[in-house]
Amino acid sequence: MVEFSALGPISGIPDSDMDTVQRLYRVWTRKYERNALRTEYYNAHERVKNLGIAVPDKLASRFHACVGWPAKAVKTLADLSVFDGFHLPDGEDTHGVEQIMDANRFDLIVPETIINAYTHSCAFFTVFQDPDDGRRVRVIPRPATWSAAIWDYMRNRIKAALTITDIDEYGDVTDMNIWLPNMVYRCSRNHGAWKAVACPNAWPYPTVVPVCYDPQAERPFGRSRITRPLMALTDAAIRTMLRMEVGAEFYSAPSLWFLGLDPEAFQDKWSSLVSSINSVSRDQNDEIPTLQQVQQMTMQPHSDMLRTIALMVSSETSIPVNDLGITMDNPASAEAMMAAERKLSREADRQNHLFSYALEETIRMVVCLQEHIPPSDMPDTLTGIRCQWQPTKEISIGARADAFSKIAGVSEAFARSETGWRYAGFDHDDIADIMDTIRSQDARGILDRLVGDAGKAQKQDPEPQQTDAAETGNAGESADVGLTA
């Protein structure tokens, strides 16, 4: 549990920046509760919001149902965003982009950042340059639960940012970083006093890149996939399951009523229920008690309500209802399944375009800081870097091969480009091997042509050489003849 204490003065931060730091801290404390709530729904830690009508609070407090629809809404869309590296201009890695990706584990940080963005509406890539080693630049992802940022509407970028890096066992913040233009303050608290270490850099704005889901003009940091309607529907599903569970407990054993029988006739009610042979004596009027059994309640109304809730969740998240664990009486047709898939794939394509901007800006920032290149002098080899994603639509290998062969038959350059092989369905590593092979073949072909041209030249040169030799030989013969004479 995080404890929010007032942020006092920080030694090492001038008063001109302290107002921004205080504002960032207030933004984080104001947004933390809502971000933590969405984390609970994602992790299925949400509690029962009992209405107190059909089920007593005493029973509801002992019941915990896990409904994973919020996590399903996040992961289903995140699974369609598979990062496949960067497309480099002319295929030459002149700035060591591959080494940067490997050193910062882009294969791990990109998927987890996308999941955080879908969960909390945004996440952040922070780019930090080690002051002790200017060539070492790290890319660290930060979730919105431990971050805050202020948006600069005039420049359409982040104006300032804060990231919480550590808390103590009591939930108090002990370490945080403040990201400002040309500056990063590394703040730590010791014995209640804050102290900051200034780490200047050559970047004219904060080295923090937002990764947002569905950003809008009035909401530049986007919105969450775990929306308010989805959380309300999840609560309704949990209450429905609670009523089903309580009803099943009450009607697990047959409820028997003996009219006209003294309750003391049964010493152990459970033994009487499970015994195969039981007897009941007559009452004091020598009459046989009347036996009545309460019929078990049907679960059909609860299951119908749960199905209705699932349909509303499907409409809210564009996830097929079958993927929510609900089997319909009439299975969805192939056309209906493709229509549902197109909704998610279109949204994923749109999001991948937005994520590409964040990744491209991040990699350019890292290279410029490592090579001390100002943003105004960024070379074309950096501005031409493009982010690549695996296709969001499932296409058979046969269909891809057929399309690839037809296009390559019209344009040979398509078959010799990274775009063509990516269209054929190959991943980043396979494409790199294929392009290396193509370049090697091209180099060997050029060498063969040079050797062939040299051979042709040698075949054409002997005619003048023979003429010179003949002239020399004739001259020699004349000299020999003269000597002999």
Side-chain angles (χ1 to χ4, degrees):
M1 183 64 182
V2 179
E3 296 292 335
F4 301 107
S5 56
L7 184 63
I10 300 177
S11 174
I13 298 181
D15 295 339
S16 58
D17 293 334
M18 197 61 204
D19 292 339
T20 303
V21 175
Q22 292 284 3
R23 182 182 174 188
L24 286 168
Y25 191 78
R26 288 194 299 269
V27 170
W28 176 68
T29 56
R30 187 173 68 252
K31 298 292 185 178
Y32 179 82
E33 182 178 358
R34 202 68 186 176
N35 289 328
L37 176 64
R38 287 188 165 88
T39 301
E40 290 183 356
Y41 274 89
Y42 178 84
N43 295 325
H45 290 166
E46 66 276 9
R47 298 182 179 275
V48 178
K49 295 180 175 60
N50 187 31
L51 301 179
I53 299 174
V55 180
D57 292 334
K58 183 178 180 180
L59 291 177
S61 62
R62 302 176 62 181
F63 175 80
H64 182 72
C66 295
V67 178
W69 290 343
K72 191 77 173 180
V74 171
K75 290 183 177 180
T76 301
L77 187 57
D79 288 343
L80 298 179
S81 298
V82 182
F83 177 65
D84 200 24
F86 293 99
H87 173 73
L88 305 175
D90 300 329
E92 298 182 1
D93 190 5
T94 57
H95 298 284
V97 174
E98 293 290 343
Q99 290 79 1
I100 294 174
M101 292 172 55
D102 293 338
N104 292 278
R105 297 306 307 271
F106 267 54
D107 57 335
L108 295 180
I109 66 175
V110 172
E112 68 182 36
T113 305
I114 290 175
I115 289 178
N116 288 330
Y118 285 152
T119 303
H120 303 114
S121 79
C122 67
F124 303 94
F125 284 127
T126 59
V127 180
F128 180 74
Q129 186 175 20
D130 193 339
D132 298 329
D133 184 4
R135 293 285 299 177
R136 185 184 180 189
V137 180
R138 294 176 294 171
V139 180
I140 303 175
R142 297 294 183 185
T145 46
W146 300 106
S147 308
I150 301 174
W151 189 255
D152 188 347
Y153 286 92
M154 293 294 295
R155 297 174 177 84
N156 198 29
R157 64 166 66 105
I158 287 181
K159 182 178 181 180
L162 174 148
T163 55
I164 305 297
T165 57
D166 196 13
I167 61 174
D168 59 16
E169 58 182 350
Y170 303 106
D172 293 326
V173 178
T174 57
D175 289 277
M176 63 182 181
N177 293 335
I178 308 298
W179 309 80
L180 299 174
N182 299 114
M183 182 65 67
V184 179
Y185 291 108
R186 304 180 65 180
C187 307
S188 60
R189 190 178 66 172
N190 188 13
H191 301 293
W194 283 97
K195 184 179 179 179
V197 176
C199 302
N201 57 52
W203 209 250
Y205 48 87
T207 55
V208 178
V209 181
V211 182
C212 306
Y213 168 62
D214 192 21
Q216 301 170 5
E218 70 277 7
R219 297 176 66 95
F221 293 110
R223 62 185 182 88
S224 172
R225 281 279 290 176
I226 306 177
T227 59
R228 293 175 185 269
L230 179 57
M231 290 188 286
L233 291 170
T234 303
D235 294 337
I238 293 176
R239 286 193 296 268
T240 303
M241 296 180 65
L242 170 62
R243 289 189 288 267
M244 294 177 68
E245 184 73 18
V246 172
E249 286 291 335
F250 275 107
Y251 291 95
S252 295
S255 182
L256 304 177
W257 290 82
F258 287 91
L259 304 181
L261 181 65
D262 190 353
E264 297 179 356
F266 293 97
Q267 298 297 329
D268 188 349
K269 297 180 180 180
W270 178 251
S271 298
S272 300
L273 289 173
V274 300
S275 297
S276 58
I277 300 176
N278 291 290
S279 62
V280 177
S281 60
R282 295 176 179 269
D283 60 9
Q284 58 184 357
N285 297 326
D286 199 29
E287 294 179 356
I288 299 176
T290 303
L291 172 63
Q292 293 184 359
Q293 180 177 351
V294 178
Q295 296 297 324
Q296 183 178 4
M297 180 186 64
T298 177
M299 296 296 174
Q300 189 66 34
H302 300 301
S303 60
D304 289 345
M305 183 175 181
L306 190 61
R307 181 176 301 182
T308 302
I309 297 172
L311 289 172
M312 297 178 68
V313 172
S314 177
S315 175
E316 177 69 19
T317 60
S318 299
I319 299 176
V321 67
N322 291 334
D323 292 347
L324 299 175
I326 303 297
T327 303
M328 304 300 293
D329 296 333
N330 296 323
S333 62
E335 292 77 9
M337 295 177 65
M338 291 180 62
E341 182 182 354
R342 280 197 297 269
K343 292 180 181 178
L344 280 177
S345 62
R346 284 197 301 266
E347 189 169 6
D349 288 334
R350 175 176 174 270
Q351 280 301 131
N352 289 346
H353 179 73
L354 298 176
F355 294 154
S356 295
Y357 176 78
L359 287 167
E360 291 163 7
E361 184 179 4
T362 300
I363 201 70
R364 293 180 187 126
M365 191 181 298
V366 173
V367 173
C368 288
L369 289 175
Q370 286 187 164
E371 300 182 3
H372 306 286
I373 302 174
S376 57
D377 298 336
M378 191 176 299
D380 295 338
T381 52
L382 281 182
T383 57
I385 292 178
R386 293 294 178 266
C387 188
Q388 301 291 341
W389 304 88
Q390 292 187 10
T392 58
K393 297 179 182 179
E394 292 291 339
I395 304 176
S396 65
I397 298 177
R400 288 183 180 276
D402 182 64
F404 178 83
S405 60
K406 290 180 179 178
I407 300 175
V410 177
S411 174
E412 183 182 355
F414 180 79
R416 305 177 66 83
S417 65
E418 293 185 14
T419 303
W421 291 103
R422 185 173 292 105
Y423 184 83
F426 291 89
D427 59 16
H428 179 74
D429 295 334
D430 292 337
I431 294 174
D433 293 338
I434 293 172
M435 296 307 298
D436 289 341
T437 303
I438 292 176
R439 296 187 188 98
S440 177
Q441 292 176 350
D442 291 343
R444 190 179 300 111
I446 294 173
L447 181 61
D448 292 340
R449 287 196 298 270
L450 292 175
V451 172
D453 294 341
K456 292 179 180 179
Q458 290 178 358
K459 291 180 180 179
Q460 294 174 357
D461 289 343
E463 294 182 357
Q465 292 177 359
Q466 291 177 359
T467 303
D468 295 338
E471 293 177 354
T472 305
N474 293 334
E477 290 177 357
S478 301
D480 292 340
V481 170
L483 290 174
T484 303

